[in-house]
Amino acid sequence: MKYRNLSLILLSNTFACPLAWGQANFDIHAQGGLGTAQSALGADAKFKIDKVTLKARFDMEGVDRENLNQSEDKNFTLLRNGANYESRQEVEYKGLTLKGGLGLDYQINEQHKLEIEGSFDGQRHEGEGTRTEEFPNANTVSLIKTDIDIKQHDLNKTKLGAAYTYRTRRNGESLRVEYSADMLRADNNIEELENYPHVSASNKGNVLNSFVQQEDETRQQAGFTWVRPLAEGQKLTAGFRFEDTHFETDELQEIGKEREAEQFDYRNTAHIYRLGYEFRKGKIMANAQLDYMNTHQQTADKKVNTKLDDFVPMAMFRYQLNKEQALMARYGMRLFRPSLAQLNPFRRQVTHTLTYGNQELRGMHANNIALVYQLNREAVQFSATVSHIWCNDGFNALWSQQGTDIDNTLFVYTWGNEGKRRAYSFEPQVKWQVCQQTSLDARATLMWDKRIAETISMDKEHWGINAQIGVNQQFDKCFLFNAHASYAEGNTVDLYSHEARSYKIGTFLNYKTEDGAIEARVAYDYAVRPQLVITQGVNPEQCHIPAYGWVGNQYVRPNSRHNLLASITYHF
């Protein structure tokens, strides 16, 4: 394996000044490495002055071409006529990421506390690469070569938040009021240039596809939580939260001489009312919670103006069999709202693929019921969970095909709120302190998963496994050695695809001085990423319409399977 990227860690001289009027703690950390490792440098500071605590952090991460070189391979067979489609794409990125934050905690007195926090995350990446596509069949071979130029990929996130907490002295009653605002701005500028083998040198570089996007997202949340202890072992919780999310995009795409532009303005507001109750007595603990959500989804042009009412329940019951063993049953529902990519109706086309969102998507209600056994001994903690997951309104990527001529085939993707899911899983987990200096941690998930799309009369089911194991060995007070491995196969990604075999093996060595002033780590991983096994479409065995679509594999991976990382942190 040839490594081309080597990042050296330089830690500058630093000093600490004890403050007579308070306490101050500083951390500075740096990392770098080979393969997919990214170089980074950061610092954290914490000041405490009487009742006020100030916190600050800053991180800088660098991305160069070698450590984020990524390949994507596709190899499919069209079901209609058995023709093949093969594609390989390689892209290299370079850029910089800056992250930071400031925080203030003011403990006014025993009853009152004020918290204020702000953070930012700024990314600026560029990239370039090539894509080669082939359509081999019995008569001809169609070859397309494209140069990909990612001129700009900017992502800037800002977050502001504040919280006030009041606690009574009498019975532990508390009231917490919170507000937060998240702002995201993304800018993308991508060009695909002509690079056919038969094109003359003077004509090469013509723009085949140009995509420019400006995306703004603002998310605000405000609300309160009130907790009131009742009789012994009982507690009542009530709360309210207001959420407002505003998406706005301005997009332009030019494909050859065709030009398409669109603006999308979408707002999702929700009023959420919560009531919860908790009970503890002897060997029994139980709690229940119910959320009522009133949601309004609306576009600026009023084409979408939907009002939704949802009840989201959760409940748990736990029984302590003895000092070491317990049984638990729990049920929960989670409500997922669609993302911007799933809502945005802008039609994005890249060679033979067309994607667009569905602005009328609503929400997905995912139910989970589980039975849990727990064993807690001094040297061993073990749990086993059996769960059932079901959903009747999931987001499904709905696929169709335009055209029958191989060279002009267009694969079309959008989203629909009509998917069903049925899944069962078994998850054992163990933590074992083998001896004073050796410990083992292992877990596995075995799942049967079935996805159904009624619109295209298609259903698929798969068995999947995901397992991890790690061993820690403490040599002395300063050195800790770890070895770990993971394996996965067959896990369902969506209706059309599941993952082939993947695995990872690795190790790291930690060093920490006895006074805790210096921490250092050297880590190595070797990872084989999973391929996606895809049936994009249906065949006669799955529905009563003629066979169409394609079957095959898609493989996205970093060009290096190796990752060697070294890091150091200095506390002073």
Side-chain angles (χ1 to χ4, degrees), residues 338 341-345 356-362 414-417:
Q342 294 166 330
L343 292 166
N344 190 353
Y356 59 91
N358 177 3
Q359 58 187 350
E360 296 185 358
L361 283 179
R362 297 189 175 185
T414 187
W415 295 87
N417 226 158

Side-chain angles (χ1 to χ4, degrees), residues 330-473:
R330 63 173 185 254
Y331 164 78
M333 175 190 289
R334 294 189 63 188
L335 177 60
F336 297 90
R337 294 300 184 196
S339 66
L340 175 59
Q342 294 166 330
L343 292 166
N344 190 353
F346 183 78
R347 299 168 68 86
R348 174 82 188 279
Q349 184 172 337
V350 180
T351 316
H352 294 277
T353 302
L354 174 65
T355 60
Y356 59 91
N358 177 3
Q359 58 187 350
E360 296 185 358
L361 283 179
R362 297 189 175 185
M364 176 176 69
H365 301 75
N367 300 273
N368 188 322
I369 187 169
L371 298 175
V372 185
Y373 167 77
Q374 296 175 327
L375 173 67
N376 190 356
R377 293 180 176 174
E378 183 176 353
V380 177
Q381 292 84 48
F382 172 80
S383 68
T385 303
V386 179
S387 62
H388 172 44
I389 302 168
W390 73 96
C391 174
N392 294 320
D393 56 0
F395 303 139
N396 257 344
L398 302 180
W399 179 90
S400 62
Q401 178 182 327
Q402 294 181 4
T404 56
D405 178 52
I406 296 175
D407 294 347
N408 298 317
T409 294
L410 192 62
F411 307 121
V412 181
Y413 298 83
T414 187
W415 295 87
N417 226 158
E418 52 78 56
K420 293 184 179 180
R421 183 188 182 196
R422 301 290 183 268
Y424 295 91
S425 68
F426 173 64
E427 183 177 355
Q429 179 178 349
V430 62
K431 292 183 178 181
W432 179 24
Q433 192 69 39
V434 182
C435 61
Q436 185 176 2
Q437 294 182 316
T438 306
S439 63
L440 180 145
D441 190 349
R443 68 170 59 193
T445 301
L446 181 65
M447 177 177 285
W448 174 86
D449 197 320
K450 183 174 184 178
R451 309 283 177 113
I452 304 168
E454 294 176 342
T455 300
I456 56 177
S457 302
M458 180 176 177
D459 61 76
K460 284 197 164 185
E461 59 184 65
H462 290 287
W463 283 95
I465 185 172
N466 192 324
Q468 304 94 37
I469 186 170
V471 177
N472 291 316
Q473 177 66 46

Side-chain angles (χ1 to χ4, degrees), residues 106-148:
Y106 180 26
Q107 188 72 50
I108 303 170
N109 54 40
E110 293 182 358
Q111 296 175 271
H112 303 270
K113 183 179 181 180
L114 177 66
E115 301 166 78
I116 301 174
E117 184 178 5
S119 64
F120 69 89
D121 182 345
Q123 303 175 19
R124 178 64 187 269
H125 293 167
E126 298 175 354
E128 59 182 23
T130 60
R131 179 169 59 245
T132 303
E133 298 174 279
E134 296 185 38
F135 292 84
N137 56 54
N139 300 317
T140 61
V141 176
S142 300
L143 178 66
I144 300 174
K145 284 192 175 182
T146 306
D147 290 334
I148 303 169

Side-chain angles (χ1 to χ4, degrees), residues 150-180:
I150 304 173
K151 295 183 175 181
Q152 181 182 14
H153 174 67
D154 294 351
L155 186 64
N156 296 289
K157 300 178 183 178
T158 306
K159 182 176 182 178
L160 300 172
Y164 165 76
T165 304
Y166 169 73
R167 298 181 184 276
T168 62
R169 296 178 180 177
R170 186 174 60 247
N171 60 0
E173 185 177 358
S174 67
L175 175 68
R176 181 176 176 85
V177 181
E178 297 177 279
Y179 170 80
S180 65

Side-chain angles (χ1 to χ4, degrees), residues 4 47 60 66 78 144 157 167-168 178 213 310 321 325 340 357 396 403 505-506 518 565 570:
R4 296 187 295 167
F47 305 87
M60 178 174 60
E66 281 71 34
L78 296 174
I144 300 174
K157 300 178 183 178
R167 298 181 184 276
T168 62
E178 297 177 279
Q213 178 197 52
D310 296 288
L321 297 172
Q325 301 178 81
L340 175 59
N396 257 344
I505 55 175
I518 297 177
L565 178 69
Y570 181 45

